[in-house]
Amino acid sequence: MTEPIVCLNGRMVPASEAHLAIYDAGVVQGATVAEQTRTFRHRPFRLGDHLDRLFRGLGYARIDIGLSREELARISEEVLAHNARLVDADADLGLIQFVTAGEYATYAGLSGRPVRTGPTVCVHTYALPFELWAGKMQTGAHLVTPSVRQVPPQCWPPQLKCRSRMHYYLAEREARLVDPEAYALLLDLDGNVTETNAANFLMVERGAIVSPPAEKTLPGISRATVIELAGRLGIPFVERDVPVSRAVSADEAFLSSTPYCLMPVTRINGMPVGDGMPGSVFRRLLQAWSQKVGLDIERQIVEGARRRQAAGEPAG
Amino acid sequence: MTEPIVCLNGRMVPASEAHLAIYDAGVVQGATVAEQTRTFRHRPFRLGDHLDRLFRGLGYARIDIGLSREELARISEEVLAHNARLVDADADLGLIQFVTAGEYATYAGLSGRPVRTGPTVCVHTYALPFELWAGKMQTGAHLVTPSVRQVPPQCWPPQLKCRSRMHYYLAEREARLVDPEAYALLLDLDGNVTETNAANFLMVERGAIVSPPAEKTLPGISRATVIELAGRLGIPFVERDVPVSRAVSADEAFLSSTPYCLMPVTRINGMPVGDGMPGSVFRRLLQAWSQKVGLDIERQIVEGARRRQAAGEPAG
Amino acid sequence: MTEPIVCLNGRMVPASEAHLAIYDAGVVQGATVAEQTRTFRHRPFRLGDHLDRLFRGLGYARIDIGLSREELARISEEVLAHNARLVDADADLGLIQFVTAGEYATYAGLSGRPVRTGPTVCVHTYALPFELWAGKMQTGAHLVTPSVRQVPPQCWPPQLKCRSRMHYYLAEREARLVDPEAYALLLDLDGNVTETNAANFLMVERGAIVSPPAEKTLPGISRATVIELAGRLGIPFVERDVPVSRAVSADEAFLSSTPYCLMPVTRINGMPVGDGMPGSVFRRLLQAWSQKVGLDIERQIVEGARRRQAAGEPAG
Amino acid sequence: MTEPIVCLNGRMVPASEAHLAIYDAGVVQGATVAEQTRTFRHRPFRLGDHLDRLFRGLGYARIDIGLSREELARISEEVLAHNARLVDADADLGLIQFVTAGEYATYAGLSGRPVRTGPTVCVHTYALPFELWAGKMQTGAHLVTPSVRQVPPQCWPPQLKCRSRMHYYLAEREARLVDPEAYALLLDLDGNVTETNAANFLMVERGAIVSPPAEKTLPGISRATVIELAGRLGIPFVERDVPVSRAVSADEAFLSSTPYCLMPVTRINGMPVGDGMPGSVFRRLLQAWSQKVGLDIERQIVEGARRRQAAGEPAG
Amino acid sequence: MTEPIVCLNGRMVPASEAHLAIYDAGVVQGATVAEQTRTFRHRPFRLGDHLDRLFRGLGYARIDIGLSREELARISEEVLAHNARLVDADADLGLIQFVTAGEYATYAGLSGRPVRTGPTVCVHTYALPFELWAGKMQTGAHLVTPSVRQVPPQCWPPQLKCRSRMHYYLAEREARLVDPEAYALLLDLDGNVTETNAANFLMVERGAIVSPPAEKTLPGISRATVIELAGRLGIPFVERDVPVSRAVSADEAFLSSTPYCLMPVTRINGMPVGDGMPGSVFRRLLQAWSQKVGLDIERQIVEGARRRQAAGEPAG
Amino acid sequence: MTEPIVCLNGRMVPASEAHLAIYDAGVVQGATVAEQTRTFRHRPFRLGDHLDRLFRGLGYARIDIGLSREELARISEEVLAHNARLVDADADLGLIQFVTAGEYATYAGLSGRPVRTGPTVCVHTYALPFELWAGKMQTGAHLVTPSVRQVPPQCWPPQLKCRSRMHYYLAEREARLVDPEAYALLLDLDGNVTETNAANFLMVERGAIVSPPAEKTLPGISRATVIELAGRLGIPFVERDVPVSRAVSADEAFLSSTPYCLMPVTRINGMPVGDGMPGSVFRRLLQAWSQKVGLDIERQIVEGARRRQAAGEPAG
């Protein structure tokens, strides 16, 4: 079989057959808790931490998936083991688990198909789309702060990695009006920086890494890795509200995110950050991370992008 | 064929085969705009108004569905015509259109299946679940205001009927801790009443219907019908911020929503509203509405519930 | 004399004769600053700290009680000395000082009685109502966050222990609708945890005690004791905004309050905290506190409750 | 008997013996709902409206006083009838009802006196202190906006006339630092005008009376009388948020309050309102009110003040 | 003399000699109140209303200019009379009055020049820069909402036309990053539309003109003219909070401002408003205005622009 | 030449001839970035830090002054060198740089004078007005918190030292109504202390210096000096939100500002701070600062004031 497999509600199915009923809570309400891990050399990185966060989110949402953390880890490893064989040795995978609140009987009503009870649980993978990042790793990403704001903690906790992300969709569209290459950097209702739709935002001021407060953003596991590496490198790490004007005046800025680890930010709202080039703290952290995982992260992205584009793989 | 049909991306398929790929934006981000219309005697009620709102929402989200309003109306009528034959003459249908931002190539990457471009467009129906409402129509619904708050207009506009509703899911769960029969009544960040997860909230004070301001809630089409009927009956209709404490002290309260039109509210946060019984303004409006559509709305619900339960149909 | 005494405006009177005129500012406006100390083995605990806080509050309210801190301490000791003889050796007392803004001449107008000028000063005691706490010490208190919010610092400073507590009364009533045994945990206007109506809230995350910021809650003297004990035990103590969703996901939670020192919290909004049992940090702190005061605090409560109930003493 | 009577918990007692136990909820928490009516020629004015508001407040606070509205009216009339005989024919009375949440057994614990269950209900009167208003009726009151802000509706509803008013006490003290004669005009958290500690604020702009929105302030019954009189006089009445800067620039301003009906405002934060003199809309309203009640309100105040001061009655 | 004159502190001086000392409060603090009137056929339009607003602003800022409203009107007419002779008969002028808090002695300290006491008062004119508006009158202006927000009413009242406008400068720069032709549309702290740096924002929804509430924006005199004309044309005019998402979905939008009266808006944040063309309500209002002043406003702008550009006059 | 010189747009001119056109952005919009340095014994103190902050501000405002930091330093030194000769050896100077966005062609339109392009750059000095501070250095400054609030960070960043300060002007006027000698202490929109119009606010609580958080106020260079000196003296320095009620209860308070370095605060809103006398932490810091610069700062102020007053120099 040359197709990836997906574990859907306990069954392994080919990726092309993995789908959700239109009356699934994941489709009807975006009532979905999700997690994403990446591999290095086909081995998952900090899978335990990701599963911990997933189960914490499920606990908060009071969704009982009927699987232990260990069972879900085992399924994840099984899906990974199968699918890793389908990519190059130099490529890597993103591993996704998502859990929805299940199917709604009301909407299913008349269809012949019986309604499944309990949550919908899905584990799947995708090949890391290096070609989306290669350019930005070298010259830096551009961020734009759209008028669309981050959903505040009173609606749902920032640490809940859920899939009700209409505002992310809207924010991205608005940001690209300013700069087609930009990512949206969402502000909270007070005008402070939170995160992009897929990454934590970090910046450097007078030698210290400055982060928005942990209680206001997703407690990123890549961000946790940054804290760990910064500690080892002797770089201070502080949490503080970051008004957008302060971000614009930072000496350096970067993003941390599971799929690409770290990405430099060189422009915010059209203004250069620092000297407009990837900064030295970013460089040191990325190097330390590469050493930790025994793989040159930036090179993998750059060369992987070239390879994938040569092979005519679909963007992403 | 005894199964309802669904129109999915231009094709009519049996309901049991209507599903979304796991990498559809509707599953990945809840980036979905939706609309719901109901029928009276199998004819859709104010379908034009619902389609107007849908297209306004798509415009705001900058999603081009590649269909005109008229084409979508025609498809909707076709789905309705087929599916209405599957329910009793005395029953009615809910008609749903939803549009997601389409499939994400990145996640689809390795699967053999080609990635569809353009948005995902779905039209389907369900039999109105009278049994969920029959009791509440007679003794009144209970509302509870959970700590989970409504997503504010700075994140997405209240008039955008989207499906990123994690907070609704959380709010319902929290409300039921107080009262297993309760619906959640969401407050905005200032502590004012907005709406339930499926209905506009309206109340009566000294003879006038009082509503939260239009710019802060979904501009409900049932609510618009209430305004129209109230005008005809000479009942004033005013918009005003409604702190929860004020709602609790109302003379009367009720919900308006497409599937059941109107439902009395007799208890908020455990306290009786007025004398704890469905109120007279509610009664007059429901009667006027019934006359307008030539069908006793309350009786349909009560008798429909009895019939469905006798037939052993699944709740909902 | 078998009745406790109360010092009211400089005179020692039997408790049954201690009352305020209906036109006293304490009755008319809740314009009262209060303090509460408890005894261990009939000796007051940190009385000096409590008096400091009282005088700071009076200073902020610009009320001059016409007594020095030392005079009030002496009166307090005198009341304690008398009243302690009326309770068991194993029981203990709560000692209360309260000061109102005095009597309002306008309302007193026609009565024959002359209007006293200057503030009303009262010192009294009560027997600690162990029976209210015994169950909760063992299985943990339940907290519920009502829709009623904490009065914000712009109205009066959180460090002012005043008696305008209508919101506490309302919050308690609302919380008990959810769970008759629950205490209300008040949120601030941003949805962050503040305190219950009688205790500071503390929680444990990854081994550290986390507290709402000192400038947003009453600077509890029991909380100060926790900080001191935690320092001695090597447990980190950090201050941070605590959104309710974060409290719900804590590893452990507990309350600190003068009368009972510490009480475990095992349920918030119906969800178990940690494993739903009193936690180990709580246990260590309570043990250290017991050692410090030479009295097993939990045992005193449990046994005291049994004794009081056996004696048919009024609850509380 | 030459002393006024007070009805306290169902018993008529001399005013000098009307007091609350120190462990009454009214003393301990300010958990008190209150109402005030005044007489004209010794007959209560709109007593029914005041009782309606009182019972609505009790309903919100979930306090059951165990008396019907009619019984409380009868008691009030009885107290009035007795006490009115003690004042001049030209004087009038303020009639107060207040209800606290009752006595707390915990604090009462050791006292010999049995603890009363149920709320504390008190009805009493006082002679209107004309001398406090006479000067201001002629030259106008001064208002100052202190840094202390109004308690927001999320804490308790503005329509609940409760006695947790520490912030009013603090606000008055702060205002008098600026101007010893000033009343405090409290702003809400957004900087908009709400009310003084005893009156609604109204102003005149281009011929219309402008009021802060009803849902943000106490729905004053004197304010309702203004609305009624304004309607009769053809003066528009509109509700709108009033930033303090707008109040300062009004053409005219005045207060409405039960005891004195209307009082002109001629200075806000040290700046003259309009030409710094009582305005014509104020004059017309006061005249219409006087006609309605058959008594020259301003003259009663001015002459009553002179008479009371001549008689050496206590201020207030 | 072929140079315009300026009246500066009571003296008529040539425009090229009109300047402020570097220690003037207008330079040091932006502590300046200003007003602008335009002419039609060289006669000022609603000069009285503009002067009223100016004096109200000065009153709020407690600046006494030592001139009566009539004296300032006379000076203004004199400046206009002289300067109007310098422009074409078909052109028109903007007339500006501004008043600063005067010169600061501290900074002037050592200079030989004596420090003037009292405010700085200046009256001057400029030729209306038709060329800046001609294109936009025909195809519509573009608006962009920058991250920079409007200064809230708690800092200074929106009705104070002052010159502390750093945020306008910043907002304009940010908006032009998105679209070099765009004006900045400033949002308030809640994300609602306020105004551009030089115009009121108005939009049309279902046939009615919708405006942000008067108390949150400058009470524009052109906006007042719109209200008057709309009344005459039978077009409803309502005030309501306008979240940016609602503005984007309007049927039509336009700006009102003294120099150009009305200007259509056809794009907000990159999205077309209505059908992306100047709307019919705009057309009707502009036509009515033209009739009122006896001059085709749009034609004057278009032809004036052509004439000025032909003459090589400086842009603006 | 006995007059100070000013460098205006690259030219050295006598102070009496330094002025801005009335259509300069500094006059029209307050679109000005400014900086101020003082001398000790005629040598500038931390000029480099001041220039850094100036250039950071210009960067944020996207104003390119066309000069390097070094060139501006050189000009500043040149102006200082000339002007220092005009004051006593014991006196010192304030050195100001300000940069506006330049001249607006639109307003300049008809004047004969050509419009300068590029920003307006000005460097000037003034003699330190010791007489304004001498009394306050000895008995302490009084602060009052007006209703006017600080412009929030969403409008412009607190670290941008700009000259749009209408609110400072208004705040000062309001504060002086309370106390003619008071400075205004501005609160943010949440009621927390920010700064006065010319100084950072610092207070002492239990031995530690407490400051509002750096991201919410101007990052004062004198404040930075305090941090440095406090570190050397072993006095803790913490940042925290400071509600006004907390400031009032501080043990000690003082201001830091470039011209006078430090000034004790002994009264806030009419209430004494601590014992109402300049505090010991203030004394220690001022002494350390004096040692650092080799000049008794307080004595210079007190004696300088006497000398200037004797010489009949203008106040300020």
Side-chain angles (χ1 to χ4, degrees), chain A residues 2-4 6 8 15-16 18-23 26-33 36 60-63 83 86-87 93 96 98 101 104-107 109-113 122 124-127 129 132 147-152 154-157 160 162-170 173-174 177 189 197 313-316, chain B residues 2-4 6 8 15-16 18-23 26-33 36 60-63 83 86-87 93 96 98 101 104-107 109-113 122 124-127 129 132 147-152 154-157 160 162-170 173-174 177 189 197 313-316:
Chain A
T2 59
E3 194 181 344
V6 170
L8 188 61
S16 59
H19 35 60
L20 264 56
I22 57 173
Y23 46 83
V27 174
V28 175
Q29 286 193 305
T32 308
V33 182
Q36 180 173 185
Y60 178 72
R62 308 174 201 213
I63 295 174
N83 295 353
L86 306 178
V87 296
L93 295 177
I96 290 172
F98 73 82
Y104 283 128
T106 301
Y107 280 4
L110 292 173
S111 85
R113 179 173 151 189
C122 182
H124 69 103
T125 67
Y126 69 104
L132 295 183
S147 69
V148 168
R149 295 278 165 110
Q150 178 66 291
V151 167
Q154 298 208 55
C155 302
W156 61 71
L160 179 68
C162 81
R163 285 184 157 185
S164 281
R165 300 297 189 190
M166 190 74 204
H167 56 307
Y168 281 10
Y169 180 79
L170 297 171
R173 303 296 291 259
E174 190 180 339
L177 290 171
L189 297 180
N197 77 358
E313 298 215 37
Chain B
T2 58
E3 195 182 344
V6 170
L8 188 60
S16 59
H19 36 60
L20 264 56
I22 57 174
Y23 45 84
V27 174
V28 175
Q29 286 193 306
T32 308
V33 183
Q36 180 173 186
Y60 177 73
R62 310 176 200 210
I63 295 175
N83 295 354
L86 304 178
V87 297
L93 295 177
I96 290 173
F98 74 82
Y104 282 127
T106 301
Y107 280 3
L110 292 173
S111 83
R113 181 173 152 188
C122 182
H124 69 102
T125 67
Y126 69 104
L132 294 184
S147 70
V148 168
R149 294 278 165 109
Q150 179 66 291
V151 167
Q154 297 207 58
C155 302
W156 59 71
L160 179 66
C162 81
R163 285 184 157 186
S164 280
R165 300 297 190 190
M166 190 76 204
H167 56 308
Y168 280 10
Y169 179 80
L170 297 171
R173 301 296 292 259
E174 190 181 337
L177 289 173
L189 297 181
N197 76 0
E313 298 216 36

Side-chain angles (χ1 to χ4, degrees), chain F residues 247-310:
Chain F
V248 161
S249 309
D251 298 322
E252 189 178 327
F254 48 90
L255 304 174
S256 69
S257 183
T258 286
Y260 49 70
C261 304
L262 292 176
M263 181 183 289
V265 169
T266 51
R267 195 165 276 271
I268 299 177
N269 285 347
M271 285 188 284
V273 176
D275 61 2
M277 305 279 287
S280 65
V281 172
F282 161 76
R283 291 264 170 248
R284 291 171 64 201
L285 287 168
L286 187 61
Q287 187 176 13
W289 199 324
S290 294
Q291 283 170 355
K292 180 186 174 78
V293 297
L295 176 157
D296 184 324
I297 294 168
E298 183 175 352
R299 184 186 306 165
Q300 184 192 38
I301 289 174
V302 173
E303 296 186 357
R306 196 171 310 128
R307 203 172 50 242
R308 278 170 63 94
Q309 283 163 333

Side-chain angles (χ1 to χ4, degrees), chain C residues 55-67:
Chain C
F55 275 80
R56 223 174 293 124
L58 290 167
Y60 177 72
R62 309 175 200 211
I63 294 175
D64 176 4
I65 64 166
L67 287 174

